[in-house]
Amino acid sequence: MLVQFTVENFLSLRDKVYLSLEPSRDKNHSENLITKGEYKSVNTVTIYGANASGKSSLFKAITVALNMIRNSNNVQITDELPVVPFKLDFKSHNKPTSFEFTFVAGDEKKYIYGFSATKERIIEEYLYCYNTSKPTLIFDVIENEEPKFNRLYKVKLDAAYQMNTSNKLFLATATTWNVECTKVPFEWLAKSIDTFTEVQELSNVAFDRYQTDESKEYIDFTRELLKQADINISSIELDAKEGKRNDVEITTGHTVVAENGEEKVFSLTLQEESMGTQLLFYYGPLLRDAFEKGKTIILDEIDKSMHPSIVKFIINLFRDSQVNKNGAQLIVTTHETGILSLDMFRRDQIYFTEKDAKSGVTDLYSLDEFSVRKTENIEKGYLMGRYGAIPFLRAGEVL
């Protein structure tokens, strides 16, 4: 369960910003809260903002941080790290980029893990665990300083530290060397949170799940998903090419009733379906894994090629305790304002990004920072610019 993500000095996010899923004092919509152990979090977050305001920069930051953690053991000593600092002032060029995750892992303990890096090396890295109400240090490693290790694990942590290199993350190295105190948080970061910013990436993951799904559970889930979304597909057939990964031919069956009342089934390839239907087909395995395993899923532009009712349908799946039994979370960027309502969300579930026109710096903030009445029309207020995060269009000739 993700509790908070922070980033500083990455793309347009020059100053530190906080994406918090920890509930505020808002008492509304208890159905939008999930619990892991003694901790609570919201199950959905929507992020609004004008084009080029920094929404995708936030998601890219999460993606880059996770990929650095997951791929750290494959990094060669000569490899550059994929951090991209803010480039619109000279001061930021030479500053490290910082990422931090606060989360509740499989042992139902809360962890804080973060690191700072340049393209050449890791500057600082730390891990804390909440065994009580206060965080307990597991390790804190700072460049050119003596590392700090939890005394119970100091021998093993120190041994792993000797095997680490300047451009590798110590969390991954320690886990590889079987240090018990790093295994649980590493596994959560490696397996329990996924980001998808490109359709191609999403489709590759979906095809892989379908191709290896001998029990047909993913197809059954997707068929029911399409049915609930009122899409007229009565059957889905997969022809997986043996030995060829992601080489799957998919056909959908459409039952049509003729004028004489006779039913006939006609087949289409997946490519002949609408883009919205294709996206739902790709979302199927992703959503099933989220609900089965209690994962955190991050989707950029969920409303792309998708009807507003389908967007609302997907979000409501995460708000339904009968479907979302294991505390899955959904974080999305969207321009769809039809769901922007306090009838559906708490104030702490709605975020905005706004880029300063003079500095090019993105700010991230939530609706909870505004004084908003329970009966207020949030959609109207947003479109009128009350909360910022909308484009300011200038009338006049384009050329």
Side-chain angles (χ1 to χ4, degrees):
M1 180 177 78
L2 182 64
V3 177
Q4 182 172 273
F5 173 75
T6 70
V7 58
E8 181 178 6
N9 196 31
F10 182 82
L11 294 176
S12 64
L13 301 162
R14 185 191 67 185
D15 305 325
K16 183 178 286 189
V17 297
Y18 301 78
L19 177 65
S20 176
L21 285 79
E22 188 170 10
S24 66
R25 295 180 180 180
D26 191 340
K27 301 299 183 182
N28 296 306
H29 293 299
S30 59
E31 74 278 8
N32 289 356
L33 300 180
I34 55 175
T35 302
K36 288 285 179 74
E38 59 182 282
Y39 302 102
K40 292 184 182 294
S41 185
V42 297
N43 52 28
T44 49
V45 167
T46 56
I47 304 174
Y48 291 85
N51 291 327
S53 65
K55 299 188 302 298
S56 294
S57 294
L58 176 67
F59 279 18
K60 287 177 182 177
I62 301 173
T63 302
V64 165
L66 292 173
N67 285 340
M68 288 179 68
I69 296 165
R70 295 168 184 180
N71 299 327
S72 183
N73 287 323
N74 300 321
V75 173
Q76 303 300 312
I77 191 66
T78 56
D79 290 346
E80 283 194 345
L81 299 173
V83 297
V84 185
F86 183 74
K87 294 185 176 182
L88 300 184
D89 68 42
F90 294 110
K91 185 178 179 181
S92 299
H93 286 197
N94 299 318
K95 289 179 60 179
T97 296
S98 300
F99 308 99
E100 183 182 274
F101 295 89
T102 303
F103 57 94
V104 180
D107 57 0
E108 296 189 346
K109 293 181 179 180
K110 186 165 76 170
Y111 292 87
I112 298 177
Y113 170 72
F115 63 92
S116 301
T118 64
K119 285 185 174 296
E120 294 77 26
R121 61 195 186 279
I122 307 299
I123 305 300
E124 181 180 10
E125 184 180 2
Y126 52 88
L127 176 66
Y128 289 83
C129 176
Y130 281 79
N131 295 310
T132 62
S133 60
K134 295 182 178 181
T136 299
L137 169 76
I138 295 180
F139 66 78
D140 189 351
V141 178
I142 302 175
E143 185 183 43
N144 299 325
E145 293 186 16
E146 188 71 20
K148 299 175 183 177
F149 297 135
N150 184 293
R151 60 182 181 83
L152 296 177
Y153 304 98
K154 188 178 188 311
V155 173
K156 285 191 173 182
L157 286 168
D158 190 56
Y161 181 70
Q162 302 306 317
M163 306 304 296
N164 203 34
T165 59
S166 61
N167 63 344
K168 287 188 177 183
L169 290 168
F170 181 58
L171 177 69
T173 301
T175 303
T176 299
W177 286 89
N178 297 317
V179 181
E180 310 92 84
C181 58
T182 64
K183 181 180 179 181
V184 171
F186 177 82
E187 286 186 344
W188 188 90
L189 290 162
K191 298 178 180 179
S192 296
I193 175 170
D194 288 318
T195 65
F196 296 93
T197 58
E198 301 290 341
V199 172
Q200 186 61 51
E201 180 186 13
L202 183 63
S203 65
N204 287 341
V205 172
F207 282 134
D208 182 70
R209 297 289 194 278
Y210 288 130
Q211 192 170 10
T212 57
D213 180 24
E214 295 181 0
S215 61
K216 306 297 182 183
E217 292 179 353
Y218 286 110
I219 279 295
D220 291 342
F221 178 91
T222 300
R223 186 187 300 110
E224 184 62 25
L225 179 71
L226 293 168
K227 178 182 176 182
Q228 293 296 324
D230 196 29
I231 294 176
N232 179 29
I233 291 179
S234 54
S235 63
I236 302 173
E237 298 294 332
L238 278 79
D239 182 13
K241 307 300 181 183
E242 190 172 349
K244 295 184 178 181
R245 201 165 186 81
N246 290 341
D247 190 357
V248 183
E249 183 177 318
I250 299 165
T251 56
T252 56
H254 294 255
T255 302
V256 177
V257 180
E259 292 183 359
N260 62 3
E262 182 180 357
E263 290 187 354
K264 291 187 177 181
V265 178
F266 295 88
S267 295
L268 298 175
T269 66
L270 182 62
Q271 289 70 32
E272 292 174 310
E273 298 285 357
S274 71
M275 180 56 71
T277 299
Q278 291 182 47
L279 281 173
L280 271 179
F281 188 85
Y282 301 150
Y283 285 158
L286 181 72
L287 296 175
R288 184 184 181 279
D289 279 349
F291 296 136
E292 286 289 320
K293 302 172 184 178
K295 297 180 69 172
T296 300
I297 302 299
I298 301 173
L299 296 175
D300 197 13
E301 296 186 356
I302 191 175
D303 54 322
K304 188 176 182 179
S305 302
M306 198 78 71
H307 191 277
S309 295
I310 303 300
V311 174
K312 184 176 182 179
F313 165 71
I314 293 173
I315 290 174
N316 278 335
L317 291 177
F318 285 81
R319 301 174 64 231
D320 186 341
S321 60
Q322 297 303 308
V323 176
N324 188 8
K325 298 178 181 179
N326 296 312
Q329 294 171 295
L330 178 67
I331 304 172
V332 300
T333 66
T334 181
H335 294 290
E336 174 48 54
T337 61
I339 58 173
L340 191 50
S341 169
L342 293 182
D343 291 334
M344 187 170 179
F345 294 114
R346 299 157 50 94
R347 293 190 300 272
D348 52 16
Q349 293 180 273
I350 300 170
Y351 272 80
F352 304 103
T353 58
E354 185 166 52
K355 184 181 288 185
D356 184 89
K358 294 182 179 180
S359 66
V361 174
T362 291
D363 188 20
L364 174 71
Y365 52 93
S366 85
L367 184 64
D368 208 37
E369 297 179 29
F370 294 82
S371 178
V372 178
R373 300 186 306 274
K374 293 181 180 180
T375 58
E376 187 164 328
N377 187 325
I378 304 302
E379 179 185 15
K380 182 179 179 180
Y382 171 63
L383 294 175
M384 291 178 63
R386 179 177 177 187
Y387 319 117
I390 62 171
F392 291 94
L393 306 178
R394 295 173 176 85
E397 294 184 0
V398 176
L399 298 176

